[in-house]
Amino acid sequence: MSFRLTPVLTASWGSERSWTLAAYEATGGYQALRTALGMSPDAVLQLVKDSGLRGRGGAGFPTGAKWGFIPQGDGKPHYLVVNADESEPGTCKDIPLLMATPHTLIEGAIIAAYAIRAHYAFIYVRGEVLHVIRRLLRAVEEARGAGYIGRNILDSGFDLELTVHIGAGAYICGEETALLESLEGYRGQPRLRPPFPAISGLYGCPTVINNVETIASVPAIVSGGVEWYRSMGTEKSPGFKIYSLSGHVARPGQYEAPLGITLRELLDAAGGMREGHELKFWTPGGSSTPLFTAAHLDVPLDFEGPPAHGSMLGTTALQIFDETTCVVRAVKRWCEFYAHESCGKCTPCREGTFWYVQIFDRLERGLGTAEDIETLLDLSDNILGRAFCALGDGATSPVTSSIQYFRDEYIAHYEQGGCPFDPVASTVFAGAGVS
Amino acid sequence: MSGATDGLPSTPGAQQGSAPLVVFDPRLGPATAAEDPLSPDARQRVRERAAEVIARYPRPRSALMPLLYLVQAEQGYVSADGIRLVAEILGLTTAEVAAVVTFYTMYRRRPCGAYVVGVCTNTLCAILGGDAIFQALQDHLGIGNGETTEDGMVTLEHIECNAACDYAPVVMVNWEFFDNQTVESARELVDRLRAGDPPMPTRGAPLKTHTEVSRILAGFPDDLADVGPSAGPASLAGLELARRRGESAPPRPGASS
């Protein structure tokens, strides 16, 4: 089947003053909220279950099931927390969404809170995006002023408070339990699970944590219905998805398409690789998903496709590199990132990422040995599955996959006594006569 | 004004010029905060706004992070006195507050320049030119990572992925986006910052100083939300292609479920 682009979340990104309440309402915004408030919370939950919506933050867990884990009639406050801490290297979909159409997220959050019977919702947004924060804070105030947030929303009897919590620079806070710690005013270190947040989350109460794109998809599902939503994507991975293409492609950017599209099709949309160059390696969903190569151009990018080939869909952050790129240098830098962002709570991640950096440093400088490659693999074995949270597991992905596909390149580094690549050749200004 | 020579206790992180391992990050500064006391006026301002911040949350301790931004908005960094004030307001120990300050990189523990220039050197930006830009700016400004120019205008640092990879290489100034940078454009950018003629961000509002930004990050925004575009060209790449090809999502059957 030939694919087509299906802009839904991105459809209004280019519109005049798209971030304002007026522009959002002019395209039917907050109608889904009216529809949802006319249904019972359980009916909204069932609708989302039936839609097959799966979490967009990386794990792909069914959203309706997650909502369904919240105990009802338990007498405790329930909380909705939107994870807008978008920090996974390569991932750049939620931030433009919040810049262009923050009301899509706010409407989704109100509907989601209603479905799980939460009266307090938080949007945890990373701190390093000042203008996005301005727009988000403004949108929340506009929504409050219009009666979409507060007491007795649209005369439904439903009350909701919504607070924007602004992070302060910590990748780990994208991990849901670290995010909760941060939101409670602590260092952002992950919690042991179980208990899962659905039972014991924020302040020890039942809590749903969903990614921005997940929650922003909810209004469209409510207004379009299950059949419409499922007419896009695949049986197990229904719906539309924002694919973020970056790197050595002719037209990097955000491409919204049905789940199951392939890199070959996306590259076609993005004008192919930059002129005169060919694909070498890419991440299907951020640096924490094992690398793919040109052999994986036809893997369907849904929740099933990449795992069948040793990777993951992740955040559909496709970082694409051509043959000028040194894979050892690329992976070294990711290792430095994970070492910097490791929260230090567990030994495998804290020490393992530290040693990754030491070993990659000497490999890239041509001072490595054959034993170093084996040490990297051994180290990866001792991190994967033994770290406290997914950060450690993710750190091993680029290491082990790059050795799997490009072992010769590692060997070339120590055989030649240095990196065989010219870093200038891989820059966007290569050939432009810059120093 | 080098981090290693400003009279504060030296830590491994404050050493400059060594191999660029990121394990100890010079951005974080010394382990102990500078002692500068907050002025009585500043203390009063923080206290007045604290009640509003605390009221946003079901539990007061959740206000800790925005309160730290409020303190940073007064001094440009979080001093030991700022830590004491926040601890007083929330009924916490200074150790509890310091533990949080030291965890998050956006809380600075010593003074910085009016403009913090962050060059993304995570893998994608680095390879597309971020490494070259970061090196060129260090040479151009004569300072290293985490250091500030003598005129106090620019603090230079390398940063991690800032969610704008489709605009690589990316430079952030006071957390506003400067997209699709080159070595030349980045040099011109810092020259203009130092000359007091800051250029407009690619997707954002006119630059604010680092202290003004901290106030916004505490949840007290200015009125500039309506400035700037909805999206940059890369954000719209798929949408515009869909329009050209006449492609769209299937029509929705209606507003009912």
Side-chain angles (χ1 to χ4, degrees):
Chain A
M1 165 196 129
S2 70
F3 86 102
R4 62 177 190 184
L5 294 167
T6 53
V8 176
L9 297 174
T10 57
S12 302
W13 285 11
S15 307
E16 188 73 18
R17 292 170 64 84
S18 61
W19 60 88
T20 61
L21 178 64
Y24 187 61
E25 287 182 326
T27 56
Y30 289 103
Q31 288 303 320
L33 175 61
R34 290 173 203 277
T35 303
L37 292 177
M39 302 161 63
S40 72
D42 289 343
V44 176
L45 199 157
Q46 191 61 46
L47 174 72
V48 172
K49 271 187 183 166
D50 292 344
S51 76
L53 174 65
R54 295 172 66 172
R56 286 357 188 184
F61 195 82
T63 304
K66 196 183 230 187
W67 294 6
F69 291 151
I70 298 293
Q72 295 300 337
D74 56 343
K76 286 184 176 176
H78 300 168
Y79 296 105
L80 173 73
V81 179
V82 178
N83 186 345
D85 194 47
E86 182 167 72
S87 307
E88 170 73 12
T91 310
C92 46
K93 60 187 179 66
D94 299 339
I95 291 304
L97 185 146
L98 293 171
M99 175 95 89
T101 55
H103 283 287
T104 318
L105 174 68
I106 294 168
E107 184 179 16
I110 303 166
I111 296 171
Y114 176 70
I116 64 165
R117 296 179 174 87
H119 299 291
Y120 225 119
F122 296 89
I123 299 172
Y124 187 114
V125 62
R126 67 181 299 183
E128 300 97 326
V129 287
L130 184 67
H131 204 54
V132 166
I133 288 166
R134 280 194 186 101
R135 294 243 168 110
L136 182 58
L137 289 170
R138 167 72 65 83
V140 169
E141 283 320 298
E142 281 186 314
R144 196 187 305 279
Y148 299 134
I149 297 170
R151 295 208 167 272
N152 191 23
I153 295 168
L154 298 175
D155 242 1
S156 64
F158 176 59
D159 303 335
L160 181 70
E161 261 315 308
L162 195 159
T163 292
V164 175
H165 187 81
I166 299 164
Y171 168 67
I172 186 62
C173 291
E175 197 281 337
E176 62 178 16
T177 61
L179 185 154
L180 294 177
E181 287 288 298
S182 182
L183 188 47
E184 291 186 11
Y186 294 88
R187 294 162 77 91
Q189 294 189 313
R191 298 174 179 172
L192 193 64
R193 293 178 298 186
F196 288 93
I199 305 302
S200 179
L202 188 64
Y203 313 123
C205 295
T207 302
V208 162
I209 304 148
N210 278 140
N211 171 260
V212 168
E213 192 184 357
T214 311
I215 293 293
S217 297
V218 170
I221 291 170
V222 169
S223 67
V226 167
E227 198 178 326
W228 170 79
Y229 186 72
R230 283 188 168 276
S231 72
M232 290 167 274
T234 66
E235 171 68 27
K236 288 182 175 170
S237 300
F240 42 82
K241 182 81 189 71
I242 305 174
Y243 292 86
S244 308
L245 273 68
S246 61
H248 293 132
V249 296
R251 288 191 297 275
Q254 309 303 313
Y255 294 83
E256 193 173 2
L259 278 162
I261 194 170
T262 65
L263 178 61
R264 190 183 299 280
E265 293 164 327
L266 284 165
L267 265 182
D268 176 56
M273 298 297 292
R274 62 174 177 163
E275 199 176 346
H277 295 278
E278 60 190 45
L279 174 63
K280 181 175 177 182
F281 63 93
W282 55 292
T283 65
S287 59
S288 302
T289 59
L291 298 178
F292 272 167
T293 68
H296 303 95
L297 274 164
D298 296 309
V299 173
L301 297 174
D302 54 20
F303 290 105
E304 288 70 39
H309 297 83
S311 190
M312 292 175 284
L313 185 66
T315 55
T316 58
L318 293 85
Q319 304 172 91
I320 297 162
F321 299 93
D322 69 21
E323 82 290 347
T324 63
T325 311
C326 171
V327 76
V328 177
R329 175 182 171 214
V331 176
K332 170 179 185 271
R333 190 56 56 84
W334 278 320
C335 288
E336 290 173 343
F337 165 76
Y338 288 109
H340 179 253
E341 300 297 337
S342 174
C343 80
K345 180 163 182 161
C346 76
T347 309
C349 174
R350 183 187 63 239
E351 301 299 315
T353 55
F354 176 92
W355 281 106
Y356 271 165
V357 174
Q358 315 298 309
I359 295 169
F360 269 99
D361 188 52
R362 63 174 177 257
L363 276 168
E364 177 65 357
R365 286 189 286 132
L367 304 173
T369 63
E371 196 185 348
D372 281 333
I373 301 177
E374 300 315 313
T375 306
L376 285 177
L377 292 173
D378 186 43
L379 200 48
S380 302
D381 263 354
N382 278 293
I383 301 172
L384 184 65
R386 291 176 169 83
F388 203 84
C389 79
L391 189 149
D393 292 346
T396 69
S397 291
V399 175
T400 50
S401 59
S402 64
I403 294 173
Q404 177 187 349
Y405 297 122
F406 300 103
R407 185 184 279 260
D408 287 350
E409 201 164 306
Y410 280 82
I411 294 170
H413 275 73
Y414 57 77
E415 283 189 352
Q416 297 180 24
C419 178
F421 290 85
D422 171 13
V424 175
S426 58
T427 65
V428 287
F429 33 83
V434 285
S435 56
Chain B
M1 176 164 85
S2 150
T5 57
D6 61 3
L8 293 166
S10 181
T11 70
Q15 302 296 327
Q16 298 298 331
S18 52
L21 297 181
V22 197
V23 178
F24 298 105
D25 191 330
R27 277 182 291 176
L28 300 184
T32 51
E35 268 296 335
D36 301 7
L38 283 150
S39 72
D41 282 356
R43 295 181 82 84
Q44 186 57 29
R45 277 193 296 273
V46 172
R47 283 190 177 280
E48 279 170 10
R49 288 190 153 157
E52 190 181 326
V53 174
I54 292 167
R56 293 179 199 152
Y57 297 96
R59 297 191 186 179
R61 182 160 177 158
S62 285
L64 178 50
M65 289 175 66
L67 287 178
L68 290 171
Y69 276 129
L70 270 186
V71 165
Q72 184 157 281
E74 295 295 340
Q75 289 185 296
Y77 65 101
V78 181
S79 66
D81 197 36
I83 289 173
R84 270 193 293 274
L85 176 60
V86 173
E88 273 169 40
I89 291 171
L90 292 176
L92 300 172
T93 66
T94 52
E96 286 172 309
V97 177
V100 172
V101 175
T102 52
F103 188 82
Y104 297 95
T105 52
M106 288 175 70
Y107 301 125
R108 310 194 73 89
R109 300 209 296 284
R110 60 171 189 241
C112 64
Y115 299 104
V116 177
V117 174
V119 182
C120 179
T121 57
N122 200 299
T123 299
L124 190 113
C125 273
I127 284 176
L128 266 65
D131 276 355
I133 291 170
F134 186 58
Q135 186 58 53
L137 289 186
Q138 290 182 81
D139 296 344
H140 187 64
L141 297 170
I143 55 175
N145 183 37
E147 296 180 353
T148 303
T149 52
E150 283 190 11
D151 57 11
M153 292 301 281
V154 170
T155 295
L156 179 67
E157 59 189 26
H158 66 78
I159 59 170
E160 298 298 355
C161 185
N162 222 88
C165 317
D166 43 351
Y167 298 98
V170 170
V171 172
M172 304 298 292
V173 181
N174 290 355
W175 306 119
E176 293 274 18
F177 291 108
F178 287 81
D179 299 333
N180 301 117
Q181 292 295 295
T182 64
V183 168
E184 284 78 12
S185 67
R187 281 195 196 118
E188 188 195 330
L189 170 60
V190 296
D191 285 348
R192 287 184 61 180
L193 294 175
R194 296 186 74 184
D197 173 31
M200 268 293 280
T202 320
R203 293 172 288 144
L207 290 178
K208 294 302 192 87
T209 64
H210 187 260
T211 49
E212 291 169 325
V213 167
S214 293
R215 191 164 291 111
I216 298 170
L217 296 177
F220 296 91
D222 53 24
D223 57 358
L224 297 177
D226 288 337
V227 179
S230 295
S235 307
L236 301 175
L239 181 62
E240 290 183 350
L241 179 66
R243 282 189 185 140
R244 281 201 302 279
R245 288 185 180 176
E247 296 173 356
S248 64
R252 294 181 212 187
S256 73
S257 58

